[in-house]
Amino acid sequence: MTTAHNTTPQYPFTAVVGMDDLRLALLLNAVSPAVGGVLVRGEKGTAKSTAVRALSALMPAVDVVGGCRFACAPDAPDPGCPDGPHETGAVEERPTRMVELPVGASEDRLVGALDIERALSEGVKAFEPGLLADAHRGILYVDEVNLLHDHLVDLLLDAAAMGASYVEREGVSVRHAARFLLVGTMNPEEGELRPQLLDRFGLTVEVAASREPDERVTVVRRRLAYDADPAGFAADWAAEEDALRGRIAAARELLPRVTLGDAALRQIAATCAAFEVDGMRADIVMARTATALAAWAGRTDVLEEDVRQAALLALPHRRRRNPFDAPGLDEDKLDRTLEEFGADEGTGGDDDPEPDGPDGGPDGGGPDGGGPEGGGQPPQDGGPEEAPLPPEAELPHQQEREAPQTPQASEKPEPESAPQGGAAGEKAAVGATEPFRTRRLDVPGLGEGADGRRSRARTAHGRTTGARRPQGALGKLHLAATVQAAAPHQRSRGRSGRGLVVRRDDLREAVREGREGNLVLFVVDASGSMAARKRMSAVKGAVLSLLLDAYQRRDKIGLITFRGTGAELALPPTSSVEAGAARLEQLPTGGRTPLSEGLLRAHEVLRVERMRDASRRPLLVVVTDGRATGGPEPVVRAARAARLLAGEGTASVVVDCEAGPVRLGLAGELARELQGTAITLDELRADSVSALVRTVQGNRKAA
């Protein structure tokens, strides 16, 4: 939905406490929208959305053609605008729009909708603009962008790449301009973004709540004051907002005069090469960011400090190769690269000429005397009575973020003794072997879950398999079926011309088959029998490989472990494979094997998830050697629990981890009770010579 301009003022941008990198990244995009937007990563409750929404109030107003629904600029209207051609007339000035894209938005709501009935019967392109049209020349804000459906992500990528949106329905098409500042927020614990979408964000920042008591007190005090009297609070900060708005305008005016020298450009290219980022977009974004930083500081020369800050903002999200890679940059490596390619190049040494910004000197390099340190910041901790924009001695920089690394077997040798405070017989966590490409395990039958890449399903995209009457709003039109339904009634409807007389009852939508994402619930045996012969490293490597496969296939994942006397839900169902990898890395082993407890816990988790999202079908992956030794009658209870899961149609696969010359085949027996399939660790590998193409054999009820 589009943010409404109501009587309640936004929380002032200058009243936001801390989060220096986030505020700087947003301000740089306000100075130079060509930077390409911001992705804000961080835990919940860190004012990510508050800061983004406050940015729109700082953006300068735009002139639009009067009455144009697509915000055409009066001096350069879009020649293909659906509301055009535009004649010279009234010019309207309006605030910069910030349009919010809900996670559950439909395709028609995003790109707009065509009236197919009028298009077929009258030849009229009746088009209702969507959110991309509303966001043109403004801000498109996507909260929880990592939860956005894949087909919406594809449409967003296309619009961001081409600066235009195309709406096509069976040969009827409409095109309109769609250039916008893309800002997204996300909580990494809920899942990562596709690399293609990550690359579309110019900058990325990590935010976290402050651990300083005084700063937290300031946050709470300001928020309570705003909630008690929003208008009064905004009035108290009006002077700071006006000063910051003026500084943005001054930086925008200075931006075209900023010079990006060959030396600075060489540092940018060397930095991108040193960190092995893909493609050339990183170089371009860094160049634009460094130029914006210089303009923000009131300078016309790009310094080494600008290049360094640009790298910290533009590169972290572009150097990740898989979801287990740690985000962030090695700042020591960055400094070495800048020093190597900046020596005697005139990009920030003592012999550099003085900048010739608005205030004409290094100590007064911007509207607020930001200085030559790569850009200053607006005040954060001072109240309204303080000076509007005091000089800052140093730019904050992004600290190295911590994230789960891909565990390596060689990094964590299995210790001989239990960890301090651990249970008897418990061994500390061991590292995993290198992950490998796994074979696809899918759920039988035809589902209707969210778009993904695992199991067959009826989806909004894919190959057309039939036609049906629309269920709600018309999706993809099936033209042949529509014409076939309308043809018998042409005489009775009085058709006299060439046009086809089409009624709404004639419309048919295409039934398409694609693939869905599933809920992959891992139940991992962490008992002492698994620790024997150091099998746990191989087991963790297999689960890590399956986690990576689940990430690539757009699945939700959950992790249950069992050992000792019970089972633990180590990771509730989530889209974050990073969280799954972290839990797996920390998993200790030892004790008895309460297999039944693990299966019963899985049954309970799946029951709850079925109520939350009935359309997402589960796939149960049990990683065990099949032994059951925990509790009374452990074998009987495990068989009963398995039959309980099978009776509900849960598709399952058992990864048999038994090793050694003598094998009992217990995992195979468990798979039969689950009415699923058993595969060995070797057969799980996609490149294994002995592997067979296997599809999970679920209960007949699952079909």
Side-chain angles (χ1 to χ4, degrees), residues 162-227:
M162 297 183 293
S165 175
Y166 291 84
V167 184
E168 297 190 5
R169 296 290 189 274
E170 301 296 340
V172 181
S173 63
V174 171
R175 173 208 168 277
H176 64 83
R179 292 183 295 275
F180 46 80
L181 173 61
L182 182 61
V183 180
T185 57
M186 61 173 284
N187 184 348
E189 293 181 356
E190 296 172 341
E192 280 295 340
L193 278 178
R194 291 166 53 183
Q196 298 95 325
L197 184 55
L198 268 176
D199 194 43
R200 290 297 177 189
F201 288 96
L203 311 179
T204 185
V205 293
E206 295 269 347
V207 296
S210 172
R211 299 297 183 258
E212 293 295 328
D214 291 342
E215 193 167 287
R216 296 173 74 98
V217 166
T218 303
V219 171
V220 174
R221 195 177 301 282
R222 290 185 185 178
R223 186 69 209 192
L224 293 177
Y226 172 78
D227 291 341

Side-chain angles (χ1 to χ4, degrees), residues 207-291:
V207 296
S210 172
R211 299 297 183 258
E212 293 295 328
D214 291 342
E215 193 167 287
R216 296 173 74 98
V217 166
T218 303
V219 171
V220 174
R221 195 177 301 282
R222 290 185 185 178
R223 186 69 209 192
L224 293 177
Y226 172 78
D227 291 341
D229 182 10
F233 186 83
D236 290 341
W237 288 88
E240 284 70 19
E241 292 285 286
D242 288 342
L244 186 56
R245 196 176 291 112
R247 181 176 178 184
I248 292 173
R252 279 193 167 198
E253 184 178 352
L254 179 62
L255 185 65
R257 305 201 304 271
V258 175
T259 301
L260 179 64
D262 290 343
L265 191 55
R266 181 176 172 81
Q267 284 185 315
I268 290 171
T271 300
C272 292
F275 285 100
E276 300 180 349
V277 296
D278 295 330
M280 294 297 299
R281 183 173 283 114
D283 304 64
I284 296 170
V285 171
M286 271 191 66
R288 290 171 175 167
T289 304
T291 303

